[in-house]
Amino acid sequence: MYAHEGDGRGDGRVAGEATTGARVRGQLDAAGRLGAAELGAEPGERASLVQFSSAFCQPCRATRRILAEVAAMVEGVAHIEIDAEDRLELVRALGIEKTPTVLVLDGAGRIVRRAAGMPRKADVIAALGAAV
């Protein structure tokens, strides 16, 4: 289940606090967007599925497959995987508490949805609809 950024809803797995307005130097630009410099890869033209993973996270592997499949289905959507241990400053700035955590970014790099835990493919597709 994905939550709209800042709506405070969720099933215990979904982080509901807005992070897009945070001003963390070197992590988010003044408008609260994530770009190639922060993500370590080029974001998608229409949207990006950003996955925070860790080395020994079993659900991260399945999440990787799901997100790659969805990104391949929709033109202009990129799947970007970030090693949480290598990017602790970004993890802290975004309030990432567990892996996998998935952020759905719109074409401008704004976080429009986020979820923690392994998502269902249908939920990813629905969340992506809010970004494109």
Side-chain angles (χ1 to χ4, degrees):
M1 177 179 205
Y2 282 78
H4 182 271
E5 259 319 271
D7 69 2
R9 296 182 316 211
D11 62 358
R13 294 182 336 142
V14 178
E17 292 184 27
T19 57
T20 55
R23 292 181 187 254
V24 179
R25 186 193 303 213
Q27 302 305 321
L28 301 173
D29 71 7
R33 297 178 298 208
L34 294 167
E38 295 81 19
L39 299 172
E42 271 307 308
E45 290 179 22
R46 296 178 65 199
S48 299
L49 300 170
V50 180
Q51 175 183 349
F52 286 85
S53 299
S54 54
F56 298 104
C57 169
Q58 191 68 12
C60 293
R61 294 181 184 119
T63 299
R64 180 183 309 118
R65 284 192 304 275
I66 292 167
L67 297 182
E69 287 175 12
V70 172
M73 290 171 37
V74 184
E75 189 174 331
V77 174
H79 170 225
I80 301 168
E81 188 169 4
I82 297 174
D83 185 325
E85 295 174 37
D86 288 345
R87 304 289 306 279
L88 286 177
E89 189 173 333
L90 182 60
V91 165
R92 289 180 181 126
L94 295 172
I96 307 296
E97 296 179 0
K98 65 186 272 186
T99 59
T101 290
V102 178
L103 306 179
V104 180
L105 309 181
D106 65 13
R110 291 181 298 261
I111 302 169
V112 294
R113 297 282 191 272
R114 69 186 288 150
M118 190 178 79
R120 295 180 315 145
K121 190 173 184 177
D123 291 337
V124 175
I125 293 168
L128 190 55
V132 294

